[in-house]
Amino acid sequence: MSWKNYFSTSIGKKILVGATGLFLVLFLVVHCYVNAMVFWPDAEPGKHFTEAAAFMGGNVAVRIMEIGLFLGLAVHIIQGLSLWSQNMKRRSVRYTVSAGNATSKWYSRSMGLLGTLILMFLILHLYHFWAPNRYGQAFDPAWKEEDLYHKMIAVFTPLWVVIIYVLGCVSLAWHLMHGFFSGFQTFGLATHKYKGVIRSIGVAFAIIIPLIFASMPIYLHCVGNCGH
Amino acid sequence: MQHYNMNLTLKVWRQKNNKAKGGFETFQVKNVSSEMSFLEMFDVLNEQLVAEGKEPVAFDHDCREGICGMCSMHINGRAHGPWEQTTTCQLHMREYKDGDTIVVEPWRANSFPVIKDLVVDRTAFDRIIAAGGYVSVNTGNAQDANALPIEKQKADESFAAASCIGCGACVAACPNASAMLFVSAKVSHLALLPQGDPERKVRAVNMVQQMDTEGFGSCTNIGACEAECPKGISIENIARLNREYLGAVFSGSAQG
Ligand code: HEM
Ligand code: SF4
Ligand code: FES
């Protein structure tokens, strides 16, 4: 069988979703670490964060890894949603009475929906912070790294933006509540010995990382509106 | 527990054949004993229907002791009813009380087309087995069982996987109508034994391909299969199947 055929079976597609999903999990750790610098009690507000952001923005290696990130994200979204839509067609006549939550968790059945919510948030998020800066870097000769710290404060001043960001984090939390374990199971690593610890780490990860992310817009909203 | 009788309302899926459009028919069944099995309750219903000159409800059954896997019924939203690790024939009427309404549907999956009423065609499973769920290496004459050393733990795990009765509850329960629990049980049962080892890679790839060809959904690790399996087959077997498949992909030796 060719490589292409290996990855087009149901398990093969899952391997692609799982590999890219776990890669995105790694990305979240880095992203969260860098952004958490906004909480640093600098004398000059946001100094630590601005330096870290400038390092990430100006670094060629990071820019190259970013291409990998976007490719991975694209594969994850395309394969994930295609699996999801195919799976919806496997039972043309639905049950009149279904088991609901008696035999499985709602979020494990809603990965496509949660992923789509994350995607909608992601488009807004890239539009806010990534696109303008990177567009300038690519096309504007007079470009210099934006002052992202103050830009964030400006973006998060209206409450509705904060609410959307928090909802994005909530969707991410539920996506990971299933996705973290699921990714390891897809690679056959959730064995009798390890599945308990993988589930526990997954739950902790799914709560802690989105919580840290969600606290950023809330914090910066306060900074913007109360002036400290 | 005290014995009691009950009157029930049954809403049962009726469908003439694979092509016909099905629908629910409502029946009253009187004086059902709490000691009866769920299938015996259906026997009472069918005798009543025959006496009235009506067509009895078609349903699959054979051993009536929880080992053949034939008795497929989706009862009030649950494959084989609400009891854990129980087939329909082992579900007993003491679960219900007088005046209850019970909705009974066939296994619903495009790969398990309805033949009639509650009877579905599960030959897709046979074709998956035929694609690799066997050992074809020449094992010669039957030898002394002790001649082939098998680690106790592997023997136990293989035995647990081999207890799959091919009932299809995993497919019926899965929101994706995936057959991964079944296939993983069959692959695990052989992959854990020395006799199954030589063909393990080709087996995993071929059975997965056949599973896809039959139109079952893909596994998204939801776990409803494990919750409904009458034999308690664990999704650890699915993890093993994934490993077998990955091993076949990256070793590059499987023909497939
Ligand atoms: C940073 C964001 C994201 C992370 C960290 C992430 C992580 C994961 C992980 C670890 C899995 C489990 C993979 C497996 O079961 O093997 C998964 C599954 C999935 N993801 Fe994501 N994901 C993200 C964003 C998205 C987006 C934007 C979409 C779609 C629009 C999406 C759609 C899906 C779908 C449909 C599945 C289910 C596949 C399945 O259950 O088998 N994800 N994700
Ligand atoms: S794995 Fe369990 S539910 Fe699935 S066919 Fe085998 S015995 Fe039935
Ligand atoms: S009739 Fe054989 S398992 Fe139920």
Side-chain angles (χ1 to χ4, degrees), chain B residues 61-64 66-71 87 89:
Chain B
H61 61 109
D62 187 15
C63 71
R64 296 208 178 196
I67 57 172
C68 76
M70 284 307 283
C71 50
T87 52
C89 57

Side-chain angles (χ1 to χ4, degrees), chain A residues 3-17:
Chain A
W3 285 100
K4 184 167 172 286
N5 288 345
Y6 274 130
F7 288 107
S8 47
T9 65
S10 55
I11 298 188
K13 281 190 188 149
K14 273 293 300 202
I15 292 170
L16 294 177
V17 179

Side-chain angles (χ1 to χ4, degrees), chain A residues 1 6 9-10 14 83 87 89-97 99 104 178 182 185-186 188 191-192 195, chain B residues 24 74 77 105 108 110 171-172 174 209 211-212 215 218-221 235-236 239 242-243 245 249 255:
Chain A
M1 211 158 67
Y6 274 130
T9 65
S10 55
K14 273 293 300 202
L83 270 182
N87 282 340
K89 298 193 196 96
R90 307 297 184 179
R91 180 172 287 129
S92 304
V93 184
R94 317 219 129 248
Y95 288 112
T96 302
V97 187
S104 60
H178 178 68
S182 181
Q185 169 78 353
T186 297
T191 59
H192 188 72
K195 70 178 181 183
Chain B
F24 283 99
H74 209 256
E105 300 173 74
R108 295 201 193 278
N110 295 359
V171 175
C174 176
Q209 275 189 317
M211 168 180 92
D212 289 354
S218 69
C219 173
T220 59
N221 307 320
I235 59 169
E236 285 167 25
N242 289 337
R243 288 200 299 281
Y245 188 86
V249 170
Q255 323 266 280

Side-chain angles (χ1 to χ4, degrees), chain A residues 170-210:
Chain A
V170 170
S171 311
L172 179 66
W174 289 117
H175 196 73
L176 289 172
M177 200 67 90
H178 178 68
F180 191 97
F181 169 81
S182 181
F184 283 90
Q185 169 78 353
T186 297
F187 281 91
L189 300 171
T191 59
H192 188 72
K193 197 167 176 182
Y194 293 113
K195 70 178 181 183
V197 68
I198 292 172
R199 270 204 203 275
S200 309
I201 295 175
V203 170
F205 190 93
I207 294 172
I208 294 169
I209 296 284

